[in-house]
Structures are given as structure tokens and as C-alpha cells.
Amino acid sequence: TSLQHLAPLHGVLMGKEIVENWKEVEQFQARPDDVYISTYPKAGTTWMSEIVDMIFCEGDQEKCRREAIYNRVPYLELRIPGSPSGVEQLQVAPSPRLVKTHLPIHLMPESIWDKNCKVIYVARNAKDVAVSYFFFHNMVKALPDPGPLDHFLNNYNKGNVSYGSWYDHVNGWWEKRQEYRILYLFYEDLKENPKREILKVLHFLEKEMSDSLVDKIVQHTSFQEMKNNEMVNYKTIPNEFLDQSETSFMRKGIAGDWKNHFTVAQNEIFDEEYNRQMAGKNLHFRTEINVNI
Ligand code: A3P
């Protein structure tokens, strides 16, 4: 696999264009009422972003989109050729701003902590993220060719992928969750009981909402609804950037899909690596859940 599109930044591999323009992100000026949605890639960024957007729009996204100049929830560090960068979009966005990011905690712009901003972190189990990320690599032209799954899993466990090591990411954010205003959530919990988790988000954001509006958000942000929603399923992005002809961005949306892709041998190697890297950490993930749908 070539890593031609990636470059290291303080020990973390990232898109070259992000690294080359890093100063812009480093010097980003936060506002106290910003809300950040932070994740390792494929952990449920789009899902949480839609939930938080619905909360801020009080269910009326049409209105919010009419008022937005660019994306409602831009990626802080993202740069797409020919479009304003995440930072440029945010500089002209009205408050309160909603911001997505995949940055490991040690690379977050200092201003976000200085302003004591709130961050919602979503973590997802390592195996499902690996599978989702593998398929995503085959969709996104700007990411390196993942090669066969074996090869990709090896790179993934070593942190030789865009945004670096899943282990460093989830642990780094976990360790700081009490030092800063961080709500640390799990994809599997959201899947198991979305209403319970959305109520946690509302509490964290100090927002009150009628029960019927909460139910509307649960409904609107279900996997099926989002898969069919052109505003969030990225179907409008041209194939040359995001090729959804083989797999959809809204691919499966479950906990435990890794079982359909890992061989017994791959799973054993993965478990060994996982246990080594998570040893002594007080952070536990579920790799499957029972959901009654
Ligand atoms: P899968 O590839 O396992 O299906 P991100 O937004 O961070 O890139 O994460 C994408 C993953 O989240 C994909 O996982 C996608 O299907 C899943 N996802 C997106 N919206 C979801 C929802 N409403 N419910 C459950 N999973 C969702």
C-alpha cells in the first residue's frame, strides 16, 4: 500500500494537505459556545453530527440550512480542493457553531481548551471501525489503496492509517474526559438505546426538549432514515471523490459486522494486538450488542 497521500504530523499520519496547512488549524480561534463532535474516523461522526444538528435546530433543519453559508457542521481540519477549508467556513459561520473533527486530543487547537468548549466524543469498537474504515478506503480516492483486509488490519493496528492509531485516539480522549468538558459516548450504546444517549447529549448541552421532539430526533437519525436522506448520505458527492457504486457510505450501521469479515486467524491476531495495546486501560468496548428491532 502506498501512503503517498499521507504525511506525519507530530507522529500522526494525516492527509498531506492538512499537514501542509497545519498552521491554519493550530491557530484556529474557538468561541465559548462552539460544540465539537470528535471521533476516530468511522466511529459515528455523521450520526452524532445529525443528532446535534437536530437539537440545535429544534427539529427544523430546513431553517438552519437556509441560514447556513456553507456546511452546517464543517470538519475543522478538512481541506477539499476548490472549496473553502474547514477553518475558513467556520470563521464566517454564525454562533453557535457545530464542528466535526477527527483530531487526536493532543492535536486539538489550544483555543478550544482556553475557551472551555464542550466536546462530544464518540468511540466505537476497534473491530467494527477497522471493517468500516477498510470499506471507506475503497470508496475514497484521496485515501491510499487499503490492499487486502489482512494487510489493512496490520497497518491499522500499527497506526499506519490516516489519523493514526485507533488505540491512541480512544485512550487519549478518555484520559482527558474529566479535565475538559468532554462527553464520552459509545456507538454501541447509541445503537442499543438511542433515546437514552440523546438524552445524555441534551443534558450535557444544557438543553430542554419536549418528549415528542426527542422522539422525532430518534426517528430522524435512525440508520434507515439517514441512509435514505440525501442531505446526509453523501450521495451528492461526485464518484471521483467518494465512490459509492460498490458500497454505500451508510453501509451497514450495526455493531458486530466484523464477524462477517474477519477470519478466525485474523481475529486471533487482532485480539492479541488489542489486548497488548489496551492492557491496563480502564476503557472497555462491546464488540456486539443485542438489539431488538
Ligand atoms: P458502517 O460502515 O459499519 O456501516 P463516520 O460517520 O464516522 O464516517 O462513520 C460511518 C459509520 O457510521 C458507517 O458504519 C455508517 O453506516 C454508520 N452510521 C451512520 N449513520 C448511522 C446511524 N444513523 N445509525 C447507525 N450507524 C450509522
Side-chain angles (χ1 to χ4, degrees):
T1 303
S2 91
L3 295 175
Q4 71 215 13
H5 307 288
L6 304 178
L9 181 83
H10 301 291
V12 180
L13 279 180
M14 273 201 270
K16 260 207 174 120
E17 32 353 288
I18 299 176
V19 177
E20 280 161 10
N21 298 282
W22 183 243
K23 262 215 155 64
E24 194 191 40
V25 174
E26 202 172 31
Q27 294 169 354
F28 171 72
Q29 290 303 305
R31 300 178 196 158
D33 56 357
D34 288 343
V35 174
Y36 296 82
I37 296 151
S38 169
T39 59
Y40 187 80
K42 313 320 289 175
T45 331
T46 315
W47 191 7
M48 185 49 71
S49 150
E50 191 64 5
I51 290 170
V52 176
D53 190 31
M54 278 294 276
I55 292 173
F56 273 81
C57 296
E58 294 177 345
D60 188 354
Q61 285 183 313
E62 292 299 314
K63 177 175 160 280
C64 284
R65 289 202 170 104
R66 275 196 305 275
E67 287 165 4
I69 302 168
Y70 298 115
N71 293 324
R72 270 286 297 160
V73 195
Y75 269 106
L76 175 63
E77 68 277 9
L78 200 69
R79 305 188 71 94
I80 295 171
S83 303
S85 68
V87 171
E88 284 165 345
Q89 293 189 34
L90 288 163
Q91 279 164 347
V92 295
S95 293
R97 302 181 298 189
L98 306 180
V99 188
K100 283 184 290 211
T101 182
H102 291 317
L103 293 176
I105 195 158
H106 71 283
L107 295 181
M108 288 288 275
E110 210 42 54
S111 169
I112 291 171
W113 310 127
D114 290 345
K115 298 275 162 53
N116 200 21
C117 297
K118 288 183 181 175
V119 185
I120 300 167
Y121 186 81
V122 185
R124 186 183 191 186
N125 80 77
K127 292 178 182 178
D128 282 328
V129 167
V131 168
S132 184
Y133 212 6
F134 172 72
F135 282 101
F136 191 62
H137 274 71
N138 283 316
M139 287 180 233
V140 178
K141 291 299 152 63
L143 285 173
D145 175 357
L149 184 60
D150 254 338
H151 186 82
F152 180 77
L153 291 178
N154 187 33
N155 274 330
Y156 174 83
N157 274 327
K158 286 192 180 128
N160 283 336
V161 291
S162 184
Y163 290 103
S165 159
W166 173 92
Y167 301 93
D168 292 347
H169 209 282
V170 297
N171 285 313
W173 280 92
W174 179 253
E175 281 153 21
K176 298 276 185 197
R177 76 195 182 286
Q178 280 153 347
E179 188 173 327
Y180 303 125
R181 293 209 286 178
I182 297 169
L183 177 69
Y184 199 105
L185 299 176
F186 295 89
Y187 178 98
E188 293 75 21
D189 292 348
L190 260 169
K191 195 70 208 173
E192 181 181 64
N193 189 337
K195 187 165 180 176
R196 179 189 64 204
E197 301 305 302
I198 291 171
L199 290 172
K200 284 186 198 167
V201 173
L202 279 166
H203 181 76
F204 178 68
L205 298 173
E206 296 160 271
K207 296 220 180 258
E208 304 257 346
M209 201 160 264
S210 71
D211 202 46
S212 63
L213 194 43
V214 176
D215 287 338
K216 182 181 165 187
I217 296 176
V218 172
Q219 164 71 16
H220 176 86
T221 58
S222 72
F223 180 72
Q224 272 317 319
E225 288 280 326
M226 284 186 58
K227 192 178 170 75
N228 296 326
N229 181 353
E230 292 262 317
M231 301 301 282
V232 293
N233 64 14
Y234 295 111
K235 285 274 165 66
T236 52
I237 296 183
N239 259 9
E240 59 192 292
F241 299 116
L242 183 72
D243 184 352
Q244 300 200 55
S245 56
E246 305 260 325
T247 339
S248 304
F249 181 93
M250 297 290 167
R251 194 183 59 87
K252 213 137 182 203
I254 61 166
D257 187 45
W258 61 273
K259 288 185 189 169
N260 300 315
H261 299 281
F262 281 26
T263 63
V264 171
Q266 280 167 349
N267 193 37
E268 279 172 8
I269 295 169
F270 201 104
D271 280 343
E272 201 175 300
E273 190 60 30
Y274 188 90
N275 293 336
R276 195 179 67 75
Q277 298 207 44
M278 295 299 276
K281 308 281 183 199
N282 179 29
L283 173 59
H284 303 284
F285 286 85
R286 291 189 287 169
T287 53
E288 58 190 304
I289 52 163
N290 295 318
V291 197
N292 303 315
I293 321 174

